[in-house]
Amino acid sequence: MTAGQAETRRRNQVEELCAAAVRALSGDPALHFRARRLHRGREPLPLHAPHLRQSADDDLMSSRGIADGIALRLTTSDAALHRCLRPSDPAERGIFELLEQFRVESLPPADMPGMRRNLRLRHLRWSLEFHRSGLTETARGLLLYTVAQICRSRITGEPVVEETEDLIEATRFALAPSLGHDLAGLRRHRTDQKAFAEHALAIARTTGVLLAGAEQDAENEGDPTDPRFSLVIDFDKSHGELIPVATAGTSRTLGESGAAYRVHTTAYDREQRASELVRPAMLAELRERLDRRVGRQGVGPGRLARDLKAVLAEPARDGWDGAQEEGLLDGRTLAQLISSPTERRIFRTERIEPVADTLVTFLIDCSGSMTAHADSVAALVDLFTRSIELAGATCEVLGFTTGAWNGGRPRRDWIRAGRPRHPGRLNERLHLVFKAAETPWRRARPDLAALLKADLFREGIDGEAVAWACARMRARPEARRILLVLSDGSPMDSATSLANDPHYLDEHLRETVLREESTVEIRGVGVGLDLSPFYRRSRVLDTSVTSGYAPFRDVLGLLALR
């Protein structure tokens, strides 16, 4: 068994154990986890609080804390009453949802001390991830984090997280006059949902006003809205909407036999500059079409570049500033000190500047079904490519497809060879370079328009494409490497699936992502599809939104993850 297969089996076992715990505690036999999300039948249940979101990094104890929190919400909260009381403002609703979750987590049965321990450990893990991600470095992030800490502490009677206790002390003291009365009410009425909600609503409104004020202050100072902030107020946005999940089964060929992924022949594989496959006149027409689409999007590269710099840049040494009144003694000014004993500007300080030493690669699925999203994806990638350069980082745009439908020449060679069993991948791999990392956006503008040429889109062999993109990234000097895979479905090559088994390419993609994540940060951007079965960090992109900043904010949220 490979390391990837062992990791997949471990995840499945954890999900099964947690689902069994939720079913036992709630008495609902229809509950089950799928793609790290609790479902009742085929419908995903809402995520009422950000600390209930499960990731592939969670161990068994953390996952059990999530399961116990969900079970308590199902059994001790009146969902109909909660819907009637919750506010409509997104920020206020996020706080209100969080406080109700804290209320139910304060009510575990007395004969289940392990449940209380699981809930505490889960809250601790989420708190430390929140803090170490850098979110508490923003005014809004610190405000929301402080409110969450002091409210949970008051409701459950447990202390705040020790590591951040000093950090939140000043904000906690400032909030005391406005929240003190309602904080006491939360603890007093935690067994009465309706009475508790009155105090929770008051805290949500007060916090909402403070958050709006903090956002206004940031705008007045010229700072962009921190894209990571969307990760904080993360109540269920998709409740009532059934987002399809990518299908990802286990390959019998790779799993049962323990065989490695195979390729029947590489003789017809190509790596090609995409613009070479498009006539120059057509490429110019496609660029004009793409420019019109970018214009309708209404997003300025300057704003996007500022947001990207906030996410990608990290402090770095950039020389020294001399003639300072404090700092380190500057040896070059000692003679000046002797001649002018009263001189105070004899120190120097190290200059720290934000530097985005990052390579962001967009790997675009150029399978046939993606043609429906070509305009939206091309506009998004074009704007991001330009803005990433303005932010001081490096960007590369790659694509993957096949050279033919239904196998092409490799399949014909396989047939001539007598159709041997389990031949592996049976198609002509075609990897496309729309923009190389060393090519500036201005020179790559025409090439990016090739994303709109529909007949380049055929079938998709995702695992090999991810490995290829990661190999290109490792050959670059940037300190941080982020790969964004944009796709609207599972890997699909009809000839390979028929000759091996339907999930042959699925299994290879999962194994490849697990292997490559040791050197490259890989994110899945699902175009109308949840890609979480393949990528532990993923977002669903709504390409029906043809203008505005929302799709860009979703991608920025992925880039902000560490």
Side-chain angles (χ1 to χ4, degrees):
M1 181 183 296
T2 65
Q5 292 167 345
E7 177 63 19
T8 300
R9 177 172 293 182
R10 184 195 69 81
R11 287 185 197 170
N12 293 337
Q13 288 174 341
V14 169
E15 284 193 356
E16 290 171 5
L17 288 170
C18 291
V22 176
R23 288 194 295 269
L25 292 167
S26 66
D28 188 341
L31 297 176
H32 63 97
F33 278 98
R34 187 176 70 188
R36 300 191 293 277
R37 181 75 178 269
L38 189 68
H39 287 65
R40 180 180 284 116
R42 295 190 60 220
E43 182 182 359
L45 296 186
L47 291 171
H48 297 290
H51 65 278
L52 297 181
R53 182 178 293 278
Q54 193 173 17
S55 71
D57 294 334
D58 290 329
D59 55 20
L60 178 58
M61 297 301 294
S62 183
S63 299
R64 276 299 308 270
I66 294 172
D68 290 343
I70 293 173
L72 285 170
R73 186 63 176 259
L74 292 171
T75 56
T76 59
S77 179
D78 185 333
L81 175 62
H82 182 76
R83 283 194 297 271
C84 293
L85 296 172
R86 69 188 179 196
S88 57
D89 177 78
E92 294 179 12
R93 181 184 165 190
I95 299 296
F96 186 71
E97 295 278 3
L98 189 63
L99 294 181
E100 175 62 11
Q101 183 62 36
F102 289 159
R103 184 187 76 83
V104 302
E105 290 181 8
S106 72
L107 303 173
D111 58 348
M112 292 186 177
M115 177 183 287
R116 185 179 295 275
R117 183 180 67 252
N118 293 341
L119 294 169
R120 172 65 181 169
L121 289 174
R122 176 59 199 169
H123 172 69
L124 175 63
R125 177 165 182 150
W126 173 80
S127 299
L128 294 178
E129 287 177 351
F130 186 109
H131 170 56
R132 292 166 184 171
S133 71
L135 283 167
T136 51
E137 296 173 6
T138 68
R140 283 154 289 168
L142 179 59
L143 172 62
L144 193 58
Y145 180 78
T146 304
V147 170
Q149 291 297 316
I150 61 178
C151 287
R152 191 181 192 279
S153 177
R154 185 60 65 93
I155 295 168
T156 63
E158 298 173 351
V160 298
V161 175
E162 184 178 359
E163 182 174 318
T164 57
E165 187 172 4
D166 293 338
L167 173 71
I168 69 173
E169 187 57 36
T171 309
R172 184 180 191 175
F173 181 78
L175 290 172
S178 54
L179 301 185
H181 170 73
D182 292 303
L183 282 172
L186 293 181
R187 175 67 181 178
R188 188 166 59 250
H189 297 295
R190 64 195 182 98
T191 58
D192 184 341
Q193 184 176 347
K194 188 172 183 180
F196 178 92
E198 295 178 11
H199 299 285
L201 284 169
I203 291 176
R205 293 190 191 101
T206 301
T207 307
V209 171
L210 293 173
L211 288 170
E215 183 171 353
Q216 186 62 46
D217 289 344
E219 290 176 357
N220 292 339
E221 294 169 3
D223 295 332
T225 299
D226 190 338
R228 298 173 298 178
F229 192 57
S230 63
L231 303 177
V232 181
I233 301 175
D234 197 13
F235 61 87
D236 182 45
K237 298 178 183 177
S238 62
H239 186 42
E241 302 175 9
L242 190 60
I243 298 176
V245 180
T247 57
T250 301
S251 169
R252 295 190 308 275
T253 305
L254 294 176
E256 295 177 1
S257 65
Y261 177 79
R262 297 180 57 192
V263 176
H264 182 64
T265 178
T266 60
Y268 310 107
D269 293 350
R270 289 181 293 158
E271 178 183 322
Q272 194 158 2
R273 184 176 166 182
S275 59
E276 296 175 353
L277 302 174
V278 188
R279 290 182 295 104
M282 175 178 285
L283 199 62
E285 292 177 8
L286 294 176
R287 184 64 235 189
E288 291 179 6
R289 174 177 148 194
L290 180 55
D291 286 338
R292 290 192 296 270
R293 182 66 179 78
V294 169
R296 289 196 301 272
Q297 193 72 39
V299 174
R303 176 191 175 184
L304 186 54
R306 289 194 299 272
D307 284 0
L308 282 162
K309 191 153 191 175
V311 168
L312 300 177
E314 294 185 353
R317 294 184 176 92
D318 189 35
W320 297 85
D321 290 324
Q324 304 295 310
E325 294 189 358
E326 60 181 12
L328 299 174
L329 182 64
D330 190 346
R332 295 171 300 177
T333 63
L334 291 178
Q336 183 180 356
L337 178 62
I338 295 171
S339 61
S340 303
T342 59
E343 178 61 59
R344 297 178 56 85
R345 292 175 297 175
I346 59 172
F347 300 95
R348 64 175 182 167
T349 58
E350 194 171 24
R351 186 166 55 247
I352 303 295
E353 296 288 340
V355 175
D357 187 17
T358 304
L359 169 62
V360 179
T361 295
F362 290 90
L363 178 61
I364 302 169
D365 174 10
C366 295
S367 59
S369 58
M370 281 286 284
T371 55
H373 312 290
D375 286 58
S376 299
V377 169
L380 182 137
V381 169
D382 185 75
L383 277 164
F384 261 111
T385 303
R386 183 179 179 186
S387 302
I388 287 170
E389 281 193 9
L390 292 175
T394 308
C395 184
E396 186 164 61
V397 182
L398 308 174
F400 62 96
T401 183
T402 56
W405 292 97
N406 302 318
R409 288 171 290 184
R411 182 174 179 273
R412 289 198 291 272
D413 289 352
W414 172 67
I415 293 173
R416 293 191 193 103
R419 301 175 184 259
R421 292 189 66 212
H422 306 320
R425 187 250 296 170
L426 275 183
N427 209 328
E428 308 172 22
R429 187 185 68 192
L430 176 57
H431 288 163
L432 302 171
V433 179
F434 295 95
K435 178 192 175 300
E438 62 274 10
T439 305
W441 173 79
R442 289 189 177 277
R443 285 179 51 199
R445 278 186 74 249
D447 296 42
L448 290 170
L451 280 165
L452 301 179
K453 192 171 190 298
D455 59 4
L456 292 181
F457 292 66
R458 296 186 183 92
E459 298 188 88
I461 302 168
D462 300 46
E464 291 188 52
V466 169
W468 167 64
C470 290
R472 289 179 63 98
M473 297 178 80
R474 283 192 294 271
R476 297 282 305 173
E478 287 80 10
R480 187 181 179 196
R481 309 177 185 99
I482 305 175
L483 176 63
L484 295 174
V485 184
L486 284 78
S487 177
D488 70 338
S490 305
M492 183 59 201
D493 177 64
S494 55
T496 302
S497 297
L498 289 171
N500 297 276
D501 65 65
H503 301 297
Y504 189 77
L505 296 176
D506 296 354
E507 186 87 14
H508 180 241
L509 174 58
R510 282 197 300 270
E511 291 183 359
T512 302
V513 171
L514 282 170
R515 182 179 68 250
E516 300 292 348
E517 277 187 327
S518 61
T519 56
V520 177
E521 300 175 39
I522 303 177
R523 314 278 191 261
V525 183
V527 183
L529 185 78
D530 183 357
L531 294 179
S532 58
F534 299 110
Y535 305 95
R536 64 189 181 94
R537 291 189 173 98
S538 65
R539 287 288 177 89
V540 178
L541 190 68
D542 185 2
T543 56
S544 65
V545 180
T546 58
S547 63
Y549 205 64
F552 297 87
R553 189 176 291 113
D554 288 338
V555 177
L556 283 163
L558 270 179
L559 291 172
L561 295 172
R562 297 305 294 258

